Amino acid sequence: MKILLLGSGGREHALYWKLSQEDNLVFTAPGNAGIPSSINVDWFNFSAILEYIQHNNIDLVISGPEGPLASGMGNFLRPHNIPFFGPDQEGAQLESSKIWAKKFMSRNGVQTARFWSFVDGDFEAASSLLRELKGNCVVKYDGLACGKGVFVCSSMSDAETALHAMDNLSKKYSHSHSPYQSPAFLIEEKISGIELSITIITDGKNYQMLLPTQDHKTLCESNVGPNTGGMGAIGPLPLLTPQIYQEIISQIVEPTIIGLNSENIVYKGFLYFGVMLTKNGPYLLEYNVRLGDPEAEVIIPAMKGKLTPLILNALQGKLENHSHYESLFSSRTYINVVFASDGYPSENLLLNHEIKGLKDLAPTTNLFFSGVKSINDKFYNHSGRVLSITCEGETPEAAINHVYQECERISFKGMHFRRDIGKYIQ
Ligand code: AMP
Ligand code: GLY
């Protein structure tokens, strides 16, 4: 089958790796240095993508990132009879509008923190609420903001800074797909607990659970430093008891699927649940309408079964319900470690240094590129997140030892990676 895969990060490299092993010819737009058959068409150029699909007789289009989904690529391609995997614009609002998503959770009994929404720049009412909460809250910009829209506050001064940022974000991300009058934002009750990532593939009615994972979001060990796009991930999770797993299914996953059905939202794609395990049970923090990154770099290598038939069954509405992931995944532990450039996550990055040691990695180590440039068979760091590797082991300890032995082989000037991926779960 000919597949067009949209995106350019480590997640897309992992999808490419898996789909290529399953008798598919995979084309990418725009791809990256690790994905050899890339074509140079940007996903936001819908007409160029359509022309490319028709010219090359593409059988299936898969979106890695949320951008094409939130921009309505599914709505655009489906009338041309092109199978597109991922929700339409309406379903994509589960990620592209935090207010819309929280209202969906409330309507459908999905357990989530209390919230208050503000649209059209109602800053006076927001300030008065912040004073009531003594600044102890979370402030979230409504639309897509490249991971920069959430502010966890502990004081009035934090909260005021966050409120000020809402105004700036609405200017910077004016095309952020928020369906509300800008600036729109949320104030949420602050909750606490361990966070984990739950992912399913769904046809909107049935779903297959994928491997539960945990992302490590802060830059430095012991969860300190600025938030990043993710510095590594582990799966499955030793802390996930059968009871907690069942609570997540019954209080978060099932009500979501029932809600999609009862609201007639067509949803055929991956769906990600950012869950926090609080002392009152699991709470949903957010949905993503795609695979997480770097979670995908753990989920995909750990998948024993084939991915293509799952995607095709989901598209045809023929997915079987599997609330357990075990039969589809290896029982070993998989760990992914991300390498970043000096300066990340700021925009002041040390770039264009040669990456050495990639050829010395063991053949069983998965190597995924995100910001790598290739010139004459040499590789150079090209953006903040550069590459990641995934290794496995019989136990979490064995997987940790394995991945860190492999990390020692890689070097480039200014590189940074966390040395506690898989160890620190809080
Ligand atoms: P989100 O993009 O909505 O998942 O938020 C990003 C991060 O902010 C989450 O991974 C949490 O660490 C934190 N966060 C979000 N909402 C809350 C909340 N209600 N209480 C505490 N922390 C939160
Ligand atoms: N790792 C979280 C995300 O992809 O948004």
Side-chain angles (χ1 to χ4, degrees):
M1 192 161 58
K2 283 185 170 178
I3 298 178
L4 176 62
L5 176 62
L6 307 175
S8 61
R11 169 185 47 216
E12 288 74 34
H13 195 164
L15 281 166
Y16 177 91
W17 173 79
K18 178 80 176 162
L19 294 168
S20 304
Q21 290 170 51
E22 298 179 1
D23 252 356
N24 298 307
L25 191 54
V26 187
F27 299 78
T28 60
N32 68 37
I35 304 177
S37 64
S38 309
I39 48 145
N40 204 10
V41 179
D42 281 316
W43 64 256
F44 41 81
N45 189 343
F46 283 11
S47 313
I49 291 279
L50 176 63
E51 201 182 306
Y52 183 85
I53 291 168
Q54 290 173 331
H55 185 73
N56 290 284
N57 299 316
I58 299 287
D59 303 298
L60 169 65
V61 183
I62 301 174
S63 177
E66 66 282 9
L69 305 167
S71 305
M73 181 166 283
N75 308 60
F76 177 79
L77 291 180
R78 280 198 190 101
H80 296 276
N81 287 326
I82 292 163
F84 180 83
F85 186 64
D88 280 358
Q89 205 161 22
E90 188 185 17
Q93 290 179 115
L94 287 176
E95 177 167 356
S96 67
S97 168
K98 291 205 181 277
I99 297 177
W100 195 88
K102 288 290 269 193
K103 290 185 171 173
F104 176 90
M105 293 175 211
S106 293
R107 281 197 300 274
N108 292 293
V110 177
Q111 189 142 276
T112 191
R114 279 198 305 158
F115 68 100
W116 298 264
S117 54
F118 297 87
V119 296
D120 205 4
D122 196 354
F123 285 106
E124 223 165 273
S127 291
S128 123
L129 176 64
L130 291 180
R131 280 193 296 277
E132 231 172 88
L133 298 171
K134 301 191 172 60
N136 208 23
C137 63
V138 183
V139 182
K140 297 184 178 180
Y141 179 65
D142 186 55
L144 296 176
C146 300
K148 295 187 168 64
V150 176
F151 294 77
V152 181
C153 309
S154 304
S155 64
M156 264 319 281
S157 129
D158 290 351
E160 273 159 13
T161 307
L163 207 53
H164 190 63
M166 295 302 114
D167 204 19
N168 291 338
L169 285 168
S170 72
K171 289 178 191 125
K172 188 162 176 191
Y173 297 102
S174 52
H175 301 293
S176 64
H177 305 289
S178 166
Y180 300 100
Q181 198 66 39
S182 179
F185 56 91
L186 278 174
I187 297 179
E188 263 183 47
E189 169 192 23
K190 191 161 88 177
I191 55 177
S192 62
I194 292 171
E195 284 180 54
L196 45 92
S197 307
I198 298 293
T199 316
I200 61 171
I201 179 166
T202 183
D203 60 12
K205 294 195 164 45
N206 298 306
Y207 66 93
Q208 160 77 54
M209 277 296 287
L210 301 182
L211 190 75
T213 54
Q214 186 176 47
D215 181 9
H216 294 56
K217 294 184 192 206
T218 61
L219 184 68
C220 303
E221 283 85 2
S222 304
N223 283 359
V224 297
N227 252 320
T228 71
M231 294 303 295
I234 176 174
L237 298 172
L239 75 137
L240 199 55
T241 62
Q243 190 198 331
I244 302 174
Y245 184 81
Q246 205 41 55
E247 282 173 12
I248 293 173
I249 299 280
S250 59
Q251 291 167 25
I252 292 175
V253 177
E254 297 273 356
T256 298
I257 298 290
I258 293 169
L260 289 172
N261 266 297
S262 66
E263 299 193 14
N264 290 322
I265 297 170
V266 178
Y267 196 111
K268 296 170 194 299
F270 296 112
L271 181 57
Y272 165 114
F273 304 80
V275 173
M276 187 177 264
L277 302 181
T278 74
K279 60 180 187 337
N280 298 322
Y283 275 58
L284 183 62
L285 295 179
E286 64 161 346
Y287 293 109
N288 287 327
V289 294
R290 52 176 170 82
L291 289 174
D293 192 343
E295 287 91 334
E297 290 93 311
V298 165
I299 291 173
I300 291 173
M303 195 182 277
K304 282 187 305 189
K306 286 191 170 180
L307 178 58
T308 314
L310 281 176
I311 291 178
L312 292 178
N313 285 340
L315 272 175
Q316 290 159 12
K318 292 196 307 205
L319 206 60
E320 284 176 27
N321 236 358
H322 285 290
S323 60
H324 288 92
Y325 60 89
E326 284 86 348
S327 59
L328 188 60
F329 289 88
S330 161
S331 58
R332 296 165 75 86
T333 299
Y334 286 70
I335 296 189
N336 174 267
V337 178
V338 173
F339 285 68
S341 297
D342 185 65
Y344 179 73
S346 79
E347 275 160 28
N348 190 11
L349 301 167
L350 191 66
L351 298 179
N352 300 316
H353 288 283
E354 189 182 346
I355 306 167
K356 298 206 174 116
L358 298 182
K359 294 197 172 83
D360 302 330
L361 293 172
T364 51
T365 296
N366 285 110
L367 169 64
F368 300 120
F369 285 170
S370 27
V372 175
K373 189 166 64 179
S374 157
I375 304 173
N376 296 334
D377 264 354
K378 289 188 174 175
F379 297 107
Y380 301 85
N381 69 320
H382 187 52
S383 67
R385 281 153 72 90
V386 180
L387 57 86
S388 72
I389 59 170
T390 302
C391 294
E392 42 100 10
E394 184 66 38
T395 59
E397 294 70 32
I400 289 169
N401 286 339
H402 186 180
V403 79
Y404 282 110
Q405 270 168 20
E406 290 290 275
C407 284
E408 292 309 323
R409 300 182 198 276
I410 300 174
S411 65
F412 56 91
K413 192 169 177 195
M415 75 175 188
H416 168 77
F417 64 91
R418 266 180 72 158
R419 292 177 185 272
D420 65 347
I421 303 299
K423 290 183 197 162
Y424 195 84
I425 53 166
Q426 187 110 21

